[in-house]
Amino acid sequence: MIMRIGFIGLGQMGHAMAANLVEAGHEVTVWNRSPDKADALVERGATRAATPAEAAQGDVVMTMLADDAALEAVVYGDDGILGAPAVHVSHSTISVALAERLTADQDGAGGYVAAPVFGRPPAAAAAMLFVVAAGRDDLIARCGPALDAISQRVFRVGETPSAANLVKLSGNFMIMAAVEAMAEAMTLAEKGGVEPALLLEVLTGTLFNAPVYKTYGEMLVEQRFTPAGFAAPLGLKDMNLVDTAAGRLRTPMPLLGVVRDHLRAAIAQGGGDVDWSAVGAVVRRNAGL
Ligand code: NAP
């Protein structure tokens, strides 16, 4: 079924997702704060919207923005999408609190679905994201063709949208913890004379045969932290969101403190353009490598 889809936020992830919607034959209208990022999509058949609201007049409007402030600007700002007829499908990694607010504020209009994603830009380009969706069943069903065009699988986690954001934040915490653990183990091995690549081959060939260890393990072995597929400041934003959620739910997360500090150090030492896996560089440096 061909849908009329608005797409707002054409960064590393959003641009690739919007391209797949165009590719799937949907009628796609795009908006980005920096307008030039829409050019390539317009050349491929998308329509350029002059404002976020203009992109939200169809069946669905998907947003993929940096953080809470960016999404708030697009929803509540001048010419924002608040009150627009399209179902708002929110893919950004945002706070649980903002998801709750958007659910309440958009209930009367098109409605709100939380649909954060797992997968880095190459997965977005290959339409191989994992979507974690939560919201009213009828709304999610209506968005089905749009979600199918960007993902390999859509998980449903109930009717409360913010639950999807909690799942996403939990997942990102686990990714960072896995990267930290791998970086520490590789540093130990390297200092003891074992090639990190060999360690990774053994571990991913035995007990750690999972995408997260393979993808990030290779980046750590190659110390390939630029260009960033997921920028460290966005990763730090996520760890801060995890901390806020943990505070609200009175959940001690001591490991979170470690990875968050290492992310801060990675940005302090490497700048804001490094990938969040640059915690590996911090771990090595702390060990004198
Ligand atoms: P990105 O490349 O930095 O893109 C950020 C987007 O947000 C750009 O379109 C940017 O517009 C827009 N933006 C920022 N501030 C804004 C504001 N105040 N008003 C309007 N638009 C604003 O980030 P990304 O890597 O695509 O990530 C997007 C979201 O997906 C984030 O929530 C991230 O945590 C999440 N995520 C990322 C990955 C990943 O691996 N990269 C994976 C899963 C989820 P401009 O072009 O004008 O700057």
Side-chain angles (χ1 to χ4, degrees):
M1 190 181 84
I2 301 301
M3 300 183 74
R4 289 174 305 140
I5 301 170
F7 204 102
I8 296 177
L10 305 173
Q12 297 223 69
M13 296 292 288
H15 195 281
M17 293 160 75
N20 282 324
L21 293 166
V22 174
E23 193 66 28
H26 295 294
E27 288 174 25
V28 182
T29 302
V30 291
W31 184 87
N32 194 66
R33 179 181 62 175
S34 314
D36 56 309
K37 288 193 187 160
D39 293 351
L41 290 163
V42 171
E43 268 173 35
R44 289 164 73 168
T47 303
R48 190 190 306 270
T51 63
E54 202 178 298
Q57 303 305 311
D59 305 310
V60 171
V61 60
M62 299 159 98
T63 54
M64 189 47 154
L65 296 151
D67 53 17
D68 279 25
L71 185 56
E72 282 172 323
V74 156
V75 174
Y76 297 103
D78 291 344
D79 298 316
I81 66 174
L82 192 66
V87 181
H88 179 192
V89 180
S90 172
H91 295 293
S92 320
T93 307
I94 55 161
S95 68
V96 171
L98 180 57
E100 289 169 354
R101 184 175 160 215
L102 290 169
T103 304
D105 290 349
Q106 300 201 292
D107 196 30
Y112 183 77
V113 168
V117 302
F118 286 107
R120 290 169 60 91
M128 291 294 275
L129 294 172
F130 292 105
V131 174
V132 183
R136 271 171 32 205
D137 284 341
D138 60 317
L139 295 180
I140 295 182
R142 212 182 300 162
C143 302
L147 297 179
D148 289 345
I150 59 161
S151 67
Q152 59 176 300
R153 182 164 173 194
V154 179
F155 289 85
R156 300 278 296 272
V157 295
E159 294 229 329
T160 305
S162 61
N165 298 95
L166 200 52
V167 171
K168 171 64 188 167
L169 291 174
S170 301
N172 272 16
F173 162 68
M174 288 183 66
I175 295 171
M176 238 331 60
V179 172
E180 171 74 25
M182 267 190 298
E184 290 183 17
M186 281 182 189
T187 303
L188 177 70
E190 187 176 339
K191 291 194 80 174
V194 178
E195 284 291 324
L198 200 54
L199 178 83
L200 185 66
E201 187 189 338
V202 172
L203 293 180
T204 54
T206 53
L207 299 177
F208 296 89
N209 182 15
V212 71
Y213 290 113
K214 290 179 171 169
T215 303
Y216 285 98
E218 279 176 22
M219 294 169 73
L220 291 173
V221 165
E222 294 170 18
Q223 294 180 57
R224 178 169 32 90
F225 306 129
T226 53
F230 184 48
L234 290 180
L236 182 58
K237 170 260 302 181
D238 290 355
M239 295 308 104
N240 286 330
L241 294 179
V242 175
D243 189 51
T244 303
R248 281 175 115 202
L249 295 168
R250 298 185 181 173
T251 304
M253 297 181 73
L255 196 48
L256 173 64
V258 172
V259 295
R260 188 169 59 163
D261 264 15
H262 278 176
L263 260 177
R264 279 199 190 125
I267 296 164
Q269 294 171 14
D273 291 334
V274 294
D275 194 85
W276 71 333
S277 54
V279 295
V282 175
V283 168
R284 294 183 89 245
R285 222 168 273 132
N286 286 349
L289 289 177

